Amino acid sequence: MNDLTLASENKTPSDMDTAGEMKIVTFALGDQVFGIDMRSLIEIREWAAPTPLPSVPSYILGVSNLRGTVIPIVGLAERLGWEPSVIHPRSCVLVVAISGKQAGFLIDEVNDIVVIQQNAIQPAPDVEIQEANVISGLVQVPQRATDGGEDTHSMVLLLDLDALAITRHLDLAA
Amino acid sequence: MSDELDEIQAIFFEECAEGLTAAERGLSAMQDGDTSSETIAAVFRAVHSIKGGAGAFGHSALTAFAHRFENLLDEVRAERIAAPPETVAVMLTALDVLSDHVAAAQGTIATPDDSGSLAALDAILNAGGASAPTPAPAPVAEPEPVAVEDDDPFGFEPVAVAIDDFDALDGAPIDLPDLDVKPAAAAEKDAAPGWHVRFGPSNDAMANGAEPMLVIRELEELGGRVTGYDASALPPLRELDPENGYVSWTLELPEWCDEARIHDAFDFVPPDSLIVIEREPPPEEPTADPVSDSAQEAPEPQAPVPAEPTPAPALAAAEPAPAKPKARPVSDARAPDHGSQTIRVDLTKLDMLLNLVGELVIRNSILSDRLDSEDQERVELPELARLTREIQDNVMSLRAQPIRQAFSRVPRMLRDLHAETGKIIDLETFGETTEVDKGVIEKIGDPLTHLIRNAVDHGLETPEERVRVGKPEAGTVTLSAEQKGARIIVTVADDGRGIDRVRVRGKAVERGLIAPDANLTDEEIDQLICAPGFSTAETISNISGRGVGMDVVRSNVEALGGRVDISSVPGKGTTFTLVLPLTLAILDGMVVRLGGQRFVLPLATVVETLQPEPDQVRSTTPDSEVIEVRGQYIPVRRLPRMFGLERGERRPIEDSLIVVVENDAEGQVGLLVDTIDDRREVVIKSLEENLYPIRGLGGATILGDGSIALILDVDALTAPSLHQTRAQMRGIAA
């Protein structure tokens, strides 16, 4: 009910992916702006406290009901090694598909959906977080000014979702 | 197009699996002395249909082997060859080879070496053939229904006809003395024919193993009968290629037959065969054989040569008599196949249906949460709930299958094990008809396989050893299944030497799994064989003993929400008990509240609930408490503490409730909860679908208000020894 529908969020004229282009969803997490491949995004939900689980890593906040499916909710900030997010009115959950499984990421705010050129992605410097390089690249995107002033550019950190798969630490342990 | 073919082929392999199971069952029954014609016919049918399908898909090795196997079965079916246990044993071996051939056709294994089995089959056939009279002196050879002495239509047994006997004919066309082509009029006098069908299988049809007899049978079942045949294409015997089709038949079917069904009969006949289906009898009606007019004699025309009931000398010698009684039971036995209407459904469709029904159940509980009882009555919610439950039960039953499926591969496995180890094994099975969710059946196959291999390899002694210790030479492996409440209990037991605890212990110390001075009970030692990386086999055999087995068994079973119990008596044997959930989808549960969170306890484990008095719960150590119930002390567990969910101050004990739960291993345990909300059926949602299994939880469910409640796995929660031993093992392994 409260979920934003993606269609209205979609600011690009064409839904078709033209060669060399990709659509990303950008969002704020702490002081950073992150982006994920639009194709992985299932939906954006308003924050609702999940059901906590026993004996799981602290970044797994619990499980939520996504239309009859039980999905884990991950504190993305904590997962990436920062301080846990503080819940505020604009907090929301990005539901994404990662290698066949679904998970929700708690983020601070959804910014935009933008089209970027594949060749504009710069390789990420070695930002080893825990066990894998979860930042797949850096890209500059125009930031629409919210106060009516000049548009600016900002750096977006592209996330490698596969590296964020919840079962990854299990796979590595095995 | 090729997708479609793949799909059909997939169905064929499914049918092969069913056929192999049926044949296995039949042969096992024969081994136990049931040589009734129905049993033999069932085995024959199974092998026969595998051959037919294999031919259609061009699996020539499979077809060829099935054909030779079928030959013997046919002789047995016709009572020309008896089936003493030795013969049945050969047939069982042949069945194993056949199932290997099927696997090879599927591409899972290499084509098996079937020469040994073929030789054994032929030996029996030839020995049996010797007792039967040698080939007819009369010129009676027929390419396809060759068997001269055989008026049973399925018998095409080339062995009986020795070419040498026909030397006199040398190149001369075969003379068909009594069976000159008759004028059509003979047929027409009998009944007004509706459909007129001519059928002449092509050479390819024969090579592909398409069975003309089956086609004719099918037409006969539609009410048709054979009115004639055309053997004019028959070459001289010397030039006759038994793989080729030379004969065509004419059949008449009643007017009311559905044309599509007539066409259906030719489904597996290659298109280059002669197939003419006409509405009216054409004036130049080719042949009719008055002999076959009698409906009782229906099968005969397929063996055109000796069709004449006035027995030719050759026929008399070949005992034509038994043929008739034989043919009857076969067609009787076939009837139920057509009678029980079944439909193959893609399992994913069934699962989707099950999911939807689950949603329906959830919606139902939402409604009953939101409406007060008066409104519930007004909108007839109770009726809706009842219907929903009925739908649910029915959908669940669609997925339930007899556990026989999982047991069916065991006899074969034991034969292989016998061949590998020389141990003599008797198998006893109980409760094969116990119905279990298909998902459970699929997933216990591997654990069962491993347990049985273990039982034979590690459990049973060699025959000599058994005799020495005063046991019967043959070891017994018992496989049983029974339903107990909401659980299915599957046991694998052997009467072997039992677990050698000294050796297990020694090995565990050697592997660093336990400390050398660890004080373990017998049960704990037995549990060690389930530890990862544990194997006591002195040498690694290819049967078991790779050391990956038992822990895989345990983790597979636990993934299903079940557990493995081991009990062993030295010198007497070992019993593995798998306790499995009846279904993977629905649970009758008690919803309890704990620290603001709701949990579901499986109702099957709940014994009673208590409102404790202040003094009723006593601490025994700082971390453990007991409650006195009618003079008995039961351990009490605080879930929040176990789950690390404890927040704020502790509720006074008298404000809490204690739910006494029971599990087979630990007996009774009291779980401290805040309140009990409700009792309801919940739809189990797996945690591993999007996360991974969490110990202590059997899954999650969605409550009426859309929120999630976690389902508690009582067995995991109440088993302290398991907790500790596991934690110890984990610690060391990591």
Side-chain angles (χ1 to χ4, degrees):
Chain A
M1 256 178 309
N2 292 315
D3 306 336
L4 302 172
T5 56
L6 291 175
S8 65
E9 282 287 296
N10 198 339
K11 302 291 197 305
T12 51
S14 157
D15 276 5
M16 298 289 286
D17 269 8
T18 28
E21 287 184 348
M22 70 183 272
K23 269 189 236 171
I24 59 167
V25 184
T26 63
F27 55 90
L29 192 62
D31 296 333
Q32 316 292 324
V33 178
F34 287 92
I36 58 164
D37 190 336
M38 177 79 185
R39 287 169 301 184
S40 305
L41 184 66
I42 296 168
E43 68 179 46
I44 301 169
R45 295 168 74 84
E46 206 174 67
W47 168 255
T51 303
L53 292 169
S55 47
V56 288
S58 61
Y59 61 81
I60 298 182
L61 305 176
V63 282
S64 275
N65 167 17
L66 175 76
R67 290 185 298 273
T69 305
V70 176
I71 60 162
I73 304 297
V74 174
L76 188 57
E78 206 173 344
R79 173 71 178 84
L80 296 176
W82 283 308
E83 285 293 297
S85 304
V86 179
I87 305 297
H88 56 83
R90 277 190 301 235
S91 290
C92 57
V93 172
L94 292 184
V95 181
V96 295
I98 306 176
S99 38
K101 299 195 170 196
Q102 298 178 0
F105 287 146
L106 168 63
I107 56 155
D108 281 335
E109 189 177 357
V110 174
N111 286 356
D112 206 352
I113 291 171
V114 291
V115 177
I116 58 166
Q117 299 295 321
Q118 296 263 21
N119 55 19
I121 302 175
Q122 301 171 35
D126 267 352
V127 270
E128 287 284 329
I129 297 168
Q130 291 175 24
E131 74 284 352
N133 193 352
V134 295
I135 309 293
S136 62
L138 307 174
V139 70
Q140 247 190 5
V141 298
Q143 175 124 43
R144 275 170 303 147
T146 44
D147 52 5
E150 281 282 290
D151 279 7
T152 55
H153 281 78
S154 68
M155 179 183 77
V156 171
L157 302 153
L158 291 178
L159 286 177
D160 177 0
L161 287 177
D162 286 337
L164 285 172
I166 276 179
T167 46
R168 195 179 170 88
H169 71 276
L170 296 178
D171 299 344
L172 290 174
Chain B
M1 190 58 205
S2 82
D3 277 358
E4 200 172 294
L5 197 66
D6 285 351
E7 217 168 274
I8 299 173
Q9 178 130 312
I11 293 175
F12 161 63
F13 284 126
E14 257 174 62
E15 284 169 352
C16 278
E18 285 166 14
L20 290 170
T21 309
E24 174 86 55
R25 207 159 47 230
L27 287 175
S28 298
M30 285 168 72
Q31 209 169 25
D32 296 342
D34 170 16
T35 48
S36 66
S37 51
E38 293 88 46
T39 308
I40 299 167
V43 178
F44 175 82
R45 258 195 327 273
V47 175
H48 180 78
S49 58
I50 289 174
K51 184 188 89 171
F57 289 106
H59 300 300
S60 51
L62 172 58
T63 315
F65 184 80
H67 176 67
R68 303 273 289 272
F69 188 7
E70 185 188 351
N71 285 345
L72 174 59
L73 286 169
D74 187 43
E75 292 298 298
V76 173
R77 199 175 58 129
E79 288 176 15
R80 278 187 295 271
I81 290 179
E86 312 85 67
T87 305
V88 177
V90 168
M91 293 198 283
L92 277 165
T93 315
L95 182 67
D96 294 346
V97 176
L98 184 68
S99 97
D100 286 345
H101 266 297
V102 170
Q106 276 172 291
T108 49
I109 59 167
T111 309
D113 174 19
D114 54 14
S115 52
S117 178
L118 281 177
L121 289 176
D122 286 349
I124 297 176
L125 265 176
N126 293 336
S131 69
T134 33
V140 273
E142 197 54 26
E144 175 267 329
V146 187
V148 170
E149 79 281 26
D150 179 12
D151 52 354
D152 181 305
F154 279 115
F156 45 55
E157 193 34 82
V159 194
V161 181
I163 292 292
D164 285 348
D165 289 335
F166 297 94
D167 268 348
L169 296 171
D170 207 2
I174 296 172
D175 189 15
L176 301 168
D178 295 330
L179 292 163
D180 287 335
V181 170
K182 300 283 198 306
E188 276 156 34
K189 67 174 183 214
D190 198 36
W195 291 97
H196 215 85
V197 177
R198 284 183 65 212
F199 168 43
S202 68
N203 292 349
D204 277 352
M206 298 302 187
N208 285 341
E211 178 64 85
M213 189 53 228
L214 278 187
V215 174
I216 289 166
R217 267 272 160 80
E218 194 162 343
L219 292 175
E220 281 174 355
E221 274 175 16
L222 292 175
R225 58 195 180 82
V226 179
T227 55
Y229 68 93
D230 178 5
S232 55
L234 264 184
L237 193 57
R238 286 275 180 213
E239 290 159 44
L240 185 138
D241 178 354
E243 298 280 343
N244 280 4
Y246 299 104
V247 187
S248 67
W249 292 271
T250 313
L251 294 100
E252 282 170 12
L253 287 102
E255 221 169 339
W256 40 265
C257 273
D258 186 8
E259 185 172 8
R261 296 216 36 197
I262 300 176
H263 278 288
D264 282 351
F266 294 100
D267 261 353
F268 286 100
V269 176
D272 55 347
S273 302
L274 166 73
I275 301 169
V276 182
I277 301 172
E278 288 163 326
R279 181 83 200 173
E280 295 297 334
E284 72 282 21
E285 163 72 16
T287 61
D289 184 357
V291 171
S292 59
D293 277 357
S294 146
Q296 283 229 323
E297 312 273 304
E300 287 198 356
Q302 282 71 59
V305 178
E308 196 67 286
T310 24
L315 285 173
E319 309 165 359
K324 225 82 316 126
K326 215 102 307 108
R328 298 302 290 267
V330 170
S331 50
D332 287 353
R334 283 179 65 86
D337 287 356
H338 290 272
S340 87
Q341 300 256 314
T342 55
I343 167 172
R344 273 172 207 280
V345 181
D346 192 343
L347 198 58
T348 55
K349 285 187 185 170
L350 217 55
D351 287 344
M352 189 180 289
L353 184 62
L354 194 67
N355 248 324
L356 288 172
V357 173
E359 297 297 309
L360 196 62
V361 172
I362 291 169
R363 294 293 138 188
N364 225 317
S365 58
I366 291 180
L367 282 181
S368 61
D369 276 3
R370 294 199 182 153
L371 299 175
D372 57 43
S373 56
E374 206 172 284
D375 283 341
Q376 286 187 18
E377 286 296 335
R378 209 183 61 235
V379 299
E380 295 186 353
L381 189 64
E383 182 65 5
L384 183 65
R386 189 188 62 76
L387 277 175
T388 309
R389 211 164 18 250
E390 256 175 49
I391 293 174
Q392 195 181 49
D393 286 349
N394 274 290
V395 173
M396 295 303 301
S397 76
L398 291 182
R399 282 185 57 100
Q401 309 249 304
I403 201 161
R404 181 189 296 128
Q405 288 190 357
F407 286 3
S408 63
R409 53 175 159 166
V410 174
R412 151 105 211 239
M413 212 166 74
L414 290 181
R415 284 196 295 279
D416 287 349
L417 286 170
H418 168 66
E420 285 170 56
T421 64
K423 294 177 183 175
I424 307 166
I425 314 146
D426 281 343
L427 174 69
E428 287 181 2
T429 53
F430 301 99
E432 287 173 290
T433 52
T434 309
E435 293 214 324
V436 195
D437 186 274
K438 189 171 168 65
V440 177
I441 290 183
E442 278 164 4
K443 287 181 183 137
I444 61 166
D446 286 344
L448 266 188
T449 304
H450 201 88
L451 287 176
I452 286 163
R453 290 184 156 258
N454 251 342
V456 174
D457 200 26
H458 299 313
L460 293 183
E461 310 91 336
T462 57
E464 304 80 58
E465 205 180 326
R466 288 183 68 88
V467 169
R468 205 163 50 238
V469 298
K471 291 183 183 178
E473 202 179 26
T476 304
V477 172
T478 310
L479 197 54
S480 76
E482 63 167 325
Q483 184 177 344
K484 228 169 138 187
R487 306 234 126 193
I488 296 286
I489 316 287
V490 178
T491 60
V492 178
D494 65 68
D495 66 347
R497 55 172 83 94
I499 293 177
D500 182 347
R501 297 199 174 108
V502 176
R503 213 160 64 116
V504 166
R505 198 198 154 96
K507 209 73 166 184
V509 171
E510 187 185 306
R511 298 275 151 97
L513 296 170
I514 54 168
D517 55 352
N519 186 13
L520 298 180
T521 63
D522 285 352
E523 288 70 36
E524 283 168 335
I525 294 175
D526 293 348
Q527 290 285 343
L528 281 173
I529 65 172
C530 292
F534 184 89
S535 171
T536 56
E538 296 294 333
T539 52
I540 292 178
S541 66
N542 67 342
I543 299 170
S544 57
R546 265 156 301 197
V548 292
M550 283 307 297
D551 63 313
V552 172
V553 168
R554 162 168 260 166
S555 57
N556 281 5
V557 170
E558 285 183 355
L560 280 173
R563 59 164 208 282
V564 185
D565 293 339
I566 306 168
S567 77
S568 183
V569 181
K572 292 270 195 284
T574 308
T575 302
F576 290 90
T577 307
L578 311 186
V579 184
L580 303 161
L582 185 57
T583 161
L584 302 177
I586 307 251
L587 182 86
D588 207 0
M590 177 186 272
V591 183
V592 299
R593 216 176 256 278
L594 256 177
Q597 196 172 336
R598 279 178 289 182
F599 293 90
V600 178
L601 276 169
L603 205 61
T605 64
V606 175
V607 181
E608 62 180 324
T609 55
L610 303 167
Q611 174 97 55
E613 300 293 323
D615 291 341
Q616 209 176 352
V617 177
R618 300 281 181 78
S619 293
T620 50
T621 70
D623 282 331
S624 60
E625 294 161 304
V626 291
I627 181 172
E628 192 228 303
V629 183
R630 294 180 290 275
Q632 271 202 309
Y633 292 102
I634 299 173
V636 171
R637 303 273 150 76
R638 290 178 189 263
L639 284 179
R641 186 189 294 162
M642 299 172 77
F643 274 0
L645 294 173
E646 203 156 19
R647 327 179 171 103
E649 84 289 358
R650 188 183 279 193
R651 263 171 105 96
I653 204 101
E654 55 271 26
D655 286 354
S656 302
L657 291 175
I658 286 183
V659 182
V660 179
V661 295
E662 185 173 45
N663 82 346
D664 298 344
E666 294 298 322
Q668 299 190 344
V669 173
L671 298 175
L672 207 60
V673 303
D674 292 351
T675 55
I676 294 170
D677 258 21
D678 198 2
R679 181 214 145 155
R680 67 172 60 172
E681 286 200 327
V682 298
V683 180
I684 303 174
K685 304 275 180 180
S686 86
L687 287 171
E688 47 270 49
E689 189 183 338
N690 288 308
L691 193 57
Y692 50 82
I694 293 171
R695 197 161 174 79
L697 296 183
T701 190
I702 296 167
L703 296 176
D705 60 2
S707 69
I708 291 181
L710 302 176
I711 299 170
L712 298 175
D713 176 1
V714 168
D715 290 346
L717 288 177
T718 55
S721 65
L722 195 65
H723 253 327
Q724 286 155 16
T725 24
R726 289 221 113 200
Q728 282 165 9
M729 287 182 212
R730 284 269 161 77
I732 296 156

